[in-house]
Amino acid sequence: MQNTTPRKLISIVIPAYNERDNIQPLAARLQNVFAKNANYDFEVIVVENGSQDDSFEKLLAVHEQDNRFKILQLARNFRMDGGLTAGMHYANGDALVIMTADLQDPPELISDFIHKWEEGYENVYGIVTKRVGTNWLRRLNSHLFYSIANFITDGMIPKNVSDFRLVDRKVYKTINTLEERNRFVRGLFAWVGYKSIGIHHERAPRVAGVSGAHTFKVISLALKGIFAHTYVPLKLILVMGLTMSALSFVSLIALVFRAIIYGTPFPGFGTIVAVLLLMFGVLFTVLGVIAEYIGLIYEEVKQRPNFIVKTKIGLNESPN
């Protein structure tokens, strides 16, 4: 009797920005993964994220050779999370994989992701054990971000977890219903929950090209991710204020007793200046934290879309 059970479809969403030299190697390695998982159907949605090189033309050549590779060209660069959001809205798979185009996320790990998904896990994410080919500053930034994010979100964002993952259809469809503008997709996957497991892997160096993840961009993304997923910094302002008020009160009492017993001490100009600078530093730090949250509110109020589509190749006219 012929088996009439429909084959499961795996969608793969890949944002690409100025990745002309990585397009062909990426396609070749993914095609090897498809061949090793012949019991599944695959579609690859490459989100051309406003590239300034000929990435789009390279993608067109791949699509003409293999129509499983589909193209979603955005009107401009909407950063990594905007590209992921766009790709997820056009995906049709029973499961969805998100990864980068620079091949630092090894496509071969998709087979392991699928195996865990078939075991019943709905969110299978990669955990980076080692970053090969990155400088010490980038590694330090990553370590600090994950340590802080893990601490202030009470473990909701695991340490060293990457965007590279496979999620069940119900998971990414849930993410698609979240309309917030300040999107940190990695944090959203953690927030929605579902049965999750991590798989450890080394993060390989880029195959070609230059990374656009410069230090200030990474720091900006890190701050956005932290502020968008926790109110702890606002609570720390209250704790800081109460602590400094208590210390000031204790210091005042001590100075009063000292003046009664020893007389008024010689006023120190340097001490006064130092205290003033400290207070102004604390004040502007507090204002900075509040300003970050006001900025997030401002972005939400404007209600601008998370992405704008310019061209679709091989995709439906409207997102699912």
Side-chain angles (χ1 to χ4, degrees), residues 70-294:
K70 305 172 183 181
I71 310 169
L72 187 66
Q73 186 182 35
L74 303 186
R76 64 167 177 83
N77 183 267
F78 283 86
R79 300 284 186 94
M80 176 76 169
D81 293 287
L84 291 176
T85 300
M88 286 192 293
H89 273 81
Y90 281 85
N92 290 298
D94 298 289
L96 176 140
V97 174
I98 60 175
M99 60 182 296
T100 57
D102 56 15
L103 289 171
Q104 289 187 292
D105 297 331
E108 294 74 19
L109 200 62
I110 292 174
S111 299
D112 296 333
F113 285 174
I114 293 174
H115 180 70
K116 288 297 182 182
W117 174 54
E118 292 290 10
E119 288 181 2
Y121 291 99
E122 297 155 316
N123 179 14
V124 186
Y125 52 81
I127 300 176
V128 179
T129 57
K130 184 179 180 181
R131 302 175 192 275
V132 181
T134 57
N135 60 44
W136 67 270
L137 182 59
R138 179 66 188 279
R139 292 195 297 270
L140 177 62
N141 289 339
S142 298
H143 175 74
L144 290 175
F145 165 69
Y146 284 114
S147 296
I148 295 171
N150 180 265
F151 175 73
I152 67 177
T153 61
D154 197 24
M156 187 178 72
I157 300 179
K159 290 183 178 180
N160 296 316
V161 65
S162 65
D163 285 311
F164 185 32
R165 69 186 63 223
L166 178 148
V167 295
D168 188 81
R169 181 182 179 87
K170 67 173 72 73
V171 179
Y172 76 83
K173 289 299 182 182
T174 300
I175 298 293
N176 287 346
T177 65
L178 305 179
E179 298 182 353
E180 60 193 72
R181 269 62 187 171
N182 298 286
R183 300 181 75 82
F184 181 59
V185 174
R186 208 175 312 173
L188 293 178
F189 280 122
W191 183 82
V192 297
Y194 293 98
K195 187 177 181 181
S196 306
I197 191 172
I199 294 181
H200 293 83
H201 69 96
E202 289 190 3
R203 191 166 177 82
R206 289 180 63 90
V207 171
V210 179
S211 173
H214 303 299
T215 298
F216 287 111
K217 288 184 179 180
V218 172
I219 292 174
S220 175
L221 175 63
L223 290 175
K224 179 179 178 180
I226 291 172
F227 287 128
H229 288 274
T230 181
Y231 300 114
V232 170
L234 288 175
K235 296 177 181 178
L236 289 177
I237 292 175
L238 177 61
V239 173
M240 185 188 303
L242 292 174
T243 301
M244 295 195 68
S245 297
L247 291 175
S248 299
F249 180 75
V250 171
S251 299
L252 179 61
I253 298 297
L255 287 173
V256 169
F257 277 104
R258 180 183 176 84
I260 293 173
I261 299 173
Y262 300 106
T264 304
F266 181 81
F269 177 76
T271 302
I272 295 173
V273 172
V275 171
L276 287 174
L277 290 175
L278 173 64
M279 294 304 298
F280 275 109
V282 172
L283 175 62
F284 282 108
T285 300
V286 169
L287 290 175
V289 171
I290 295 174
E292 287 289 336
Y293 280 102
I294 292 175

Side-chain angles (χ1 to χ4, degrees), residues 9-13 41 43 45 91-98 172:
L9 174 65
I10 310 294
S11 298
I12 302 176
V13 170
D41 290 328
E43 67 169 1
I45 303 174
N92 290 298
D94 298 289
L96 176 140
V97 174
I98 60 175
Y172 76 83

